[in-house]
Amino acid sequence: MSVLNLRCSASVLFLLSTSSASFAEISAQDTWNDWKEYFKGVGYTVTATENQSGNTLIVKDMVFTAPGSEEVGTMSMTLETVTFRENGDGSVGVIFPEVSPVAINAVNPDGEKIDVNLEILQSGLTATVSGEPTDMTSVYGAQSVEMRLAGVTVGGETLSPEDAAMSLVMQGLSGTTQTTLTDMRRYDQRMQSSAVSYDITFVDPEGTGSADIQGQLDGLSYAGTNALPLNVVAAGDMLELLEAGMAVDGTFSYSGGSSTIGVVENGVDAMNAEMSSSGGTLGILMGADGLEYVAAQQGINVSMTAQDLPVPVEFNMAEGAFNLAMPLQKSDEMSDFAAGFSLTDFSMSDLLWGMFDPSAQLPRDPATLVLDLTGKARLLFDFLDPAAAVVSGDPNVTPAEIGSVDINRLQVTVAGAELTGEGAFTFDNSAPVGPPKPEGAVNLSLVGGNKLLDTLVAMGLVPEEQAMGARMMMGLLAVPGNAPDTLNSKIEINEEGHILANGQRIQ
């Protein structure tokens, strides 16, 4: 995700979920001023027309413009009207009209102009802010809030509503935001929505195909804290904002969801898919120390048919998860990183099994795949710099140095066999040319490997001569374990660069 898109996305969330009641003081004017300070603090320029009448401030033609560059273009958002009204009891209400147009105007690096027009439609939206100027609590709720695509123009060509449509509806929306002003602007946010539905349609401009995506999330919630610097710092430079204290720590969760995807090519159904899950979470942590994602879905079910597939594809799993943690800034010092994923209790339909195992010779127990890595690394460029994409795509430029890798868990369980492992390696990056020099060891254990190999040979999936070569390799790299059909192996790389298997040098 580019810096510009990240900033724009955060601003839209601010407007939809918290800005309607986030930063109010006793005065309506002070409330609007705080809005402006927020956007200026993340690099936007803000213009608007203000009209004060008694206890009501009406702000029209609000334009929030993000700083641009040759690499990422420019972007701006426009809101037509927002009303700030003093309630007379020390609180302020922020009122949106039933329909609020939002215009996003961008220019891509090729100079092509892109205009996106949205409409935000609300039903029963209420928002009230109370508290002290430096410690404010906002409460908001709505029967529904919908964001709808009203029009898209690319390079002067306008797409019709039939060619490009998008709708996102949040039902039963409610939430609170506590804002405190100390050395930073700090937000503690809670949001709930009984259901979120979406519908996206896109037609190929050539008229040869189309795609339709529909789905719903039930019981969506968000809880998190944010921090922003009080003053503008290097507007447009995300790295400067992070160094000034900008931070995000939040988690989205939902209790269940489903979606469908339909793709048509040349008038024929090319692909149809149905997916569902019993819940999931997405955690995001970003600050000067780095970026971290943690995501998981439970009770995943997928069913798909496609022109190029001879049978329907059906599979499910108890859980699918991934995590990623990495530094964001160039540094001379090593920082922590982590990466991992897991597919737990994966199973597929008998139709799929029957394509390569019609006589059911292989055990069809659920499969599991897990990899958990941590370690030390340092970036040789600033990841959020727009020029990073150019640097990372250059094969002659080394984007990072790895100092160490710990294999905390490796597990592959499939067709009656299981491979597990753990280990650790360090890397010497001092050589002026060539790859880093590793040193360390990994311990591996294979259970049921020979039986699986025998079954694959009997099925005709693996030729006997290849199986013989595999057995010779296992005999070279592994030793028998205490249990039947168990092989253990310790693969080491020593200080001299020699590779050893169970203490015997093999290279």
Side-chain angles (χ1 to χ4, degrees):
M1 178 181 290
S2 71
V3 174
L4 185 59
N5 287 337
L6 182 63
R7 185 181 288 108
C8 183
S9 300
S11 301
V12 170
L13 287 173
F14 169 81
L15 289 169
L16 291 178
S17 64
T18 64
S19 66
S20 58
S22 288
F23 306 114
E25 298 181 47
I26 300 302
S27 164
Q29 182 65 55
D30 289 341
T31 305
W32 165 235
N33 288 344
D34 207 49
W35 271 42
K36 291 187 288 186
E37 291 304 314
Y38 164 84
F39 280 98
K40 290 178 181 179
V42 292
Y44 281 80
T45 57
V46 182
T47 60
T49 300
E50 305 173 19
N51 182 16
Q52 179 80 45
S53 177
N55 66 345
T56 301
L57 173 65
I58 299 175
V59 183
K60 293 186 175 182
D61 302 325
M62 292 173 284
V63 180
F64 308 91
T65 303
S69 68
E70 294 181 0
E71 293 87 357
V72 299
T74 60
M75 184 175 292
S76 66
M77 296 187 299
T78 301
L79 286 178
E80 191 173 75
T81 304
V82 175
T83 301
F84 301 84
R85 179 172 298 161
E86 298 167 6
N87 296 325
D89 59 357
S91 66
V92 172
V94 184
I95 305 167
F96 283 107
E98 291 185 359
V99 180
S100 297
V102 177
I104 300 176
N105 311 111
V107 178
N108 65 22
D110 297 329
E112 188 175 50
K113 188 177 181 181
I114 302 173
D115 299 322
V116 178
N117 295 312
L118 304 170
E119 290 179 340
I120 299 176
L121 301 86
Q122 59 88 5
S123 175
L125 176 63
T126 60
T128 305
V129 183
S130 60
E132 299 294 329
T134 58
D135 188 353
M136 298 173 288
T137 299
S138 60
V139 180
Y140 59 90
Q143 296 173 9
S144 66
V145 175
E146 177 182 4
M147 184 167 63
R148 178 190 302 168
L149 181 64
V152 178
T153 301
V154 181
E157 181 178 350
T158 300
L159 303 181
S160 69
E162 292 77 18
D163 292 340
M166 183 276 291
S167 174
L168 175 68
V169 182
M170 302 183 73
Q171 302 282 355
L173 178 66
S174 63
T176 62
T177 298
Q178 182 179 20
T179 306
T180 55
L181 302 180
T182 54
D183 57 327
M184 303 282 291
R185 296 178 184 271
R186 302 185 186 278
Y187 317 124
D188 189 329
Q189 299 174 315
R190 300 291 184 271
M191 182 276 293
Q192 302 83 36
S193 173
S194 59
V196 178
S197 59
Y198 52 90
D199 190 343
I200 303 171
T201 299
F202 177 77
V203 177
D204 187 337
E206 302 293 331
T208 59
S210 64
D212 185 66
I213 304 172
Q214 297 178 342
Q216 177 169 309
L217 297 177
D218 298 321
L220 178 68
S221 65
Y222 171 80
T225 57
N226 301 45
L228 288 173
L230 292 174
N231 301 315
V232 179
V233 290
D237 191 329
M238 182 64 75
L239 288 173
E240 289 291 335
L241 287 167
L242 291 174
E243 290 178 352
M246 179 180 177
V248 177
D249 184 359
T251 300
F252 291 91
S253 62
Y254 69 98
S255 59
S258 62
S259 62
T260 61
I261 301 174
V263 178
V264 176
E265 293 181 357
N266 299 316
V268 178
D269 287 339
M271 190 269 285
N272 287 283
E274 296 182 3
M275 292 160 282
S276 66
S277 73
S278 60
T281 58
L282 171 63
I284 303 172
L285 178 66
M286 183 173 69
D289 293 335
L291 174 68
E292 181 177 349
Y293 288 102
V294 179
Q297 277 189 308
Q298 292 80 40
I300 302 169
N301 295 280
V302 176
S303 176
M304 180 175 64
T305 59
Q307 270 186 310
D308 299 332
L309 298 175
V311 298
V313 174
E314 296 181 3
F315 63 86
N316 57 75
M317 69 184 79
E319 183 178 70
F322 86 93
N323 67 281
L324 173 67
M326 58 177 286
L328 293 175
Q329 303 183 56
K330 180 180 178 180
S331 175
D332 294 330
E333 302 296 328
M334 291 286 175
S335 300
D336 293 333
F337 81 88
F341 65 89
S342 65
L343 305 176
T344 305
D345 290 343
F346 175 93
S347 61
M348 58 186 182
S349 67
D350 288 338
L351 279 174
L352 284 176
W353 274 108
M355 290 180 62
F356 55 88
D357 184 22
S359 57
Q361 298 183 60
L362 292 171
R364 298 186 178 182
D365 301 330
T368 292
L369 176 62
V370 179
L371 179 63
D372 179 15
L373 303 177
T374 56
K376 296 284 188 178
R378 72 182 187 97
L379 292 181
L380 304 181
F381 66 97
D382 290 326
F383 186 78
L384 293 179
D385 187 330
V390 178
V391 173
S392 61
D394 188 342
N396 298 315
V397 176
T398 302
E401 286 184 354
I402 305 296
S404 65
V405 174
D406 293 333
I407 306 171
N408 302 308
R409 183 184 177 191
L410 168 66
Q411 179 183 354
V412 181
T413 304
V414 62
E418 182 173 73
L419 173 67
T420 57
E422 60 181 12
F425 291 90
T426 60
F427 296 85
D428 182 356
N429 296 275
S430 61
V433 294
K437 182 180 176 182
E439 181 181 354
V442 58
N443 294 291
L444 301 171
S445 178
L446 176 63
V447 179
N450 280 303
K451 182 178 179 180
L452 176 59
L453 190 57
D454 290 340
T455 304
L456 294 175
V457 171
M459 294 169 58
L461 295 178
V462 176
E464 181 60 46
E465 58 272 17
Q466 291 185 12
M468 184 179 299
R471 290 189 179 93
M472 291 177 61
M473 184 62 67
M474 288 190 293
L476 176 65
L477 299 178
V479 296
N482 295 327
D485 198 3
T486 299
L487 295 173
N488 297 323
S489 180
K490 182 177 182 179
I491 306 299
E492 298 176 83
I493 303 177
N494 62 21
E495 187 177 0
E496 291 77 24
H498 302 154
I499 301 178
L500 299 91
N502 303 302
Q504 299 296 316
R505 181 177 173 181
I506 59 175
Q507 181 178 330

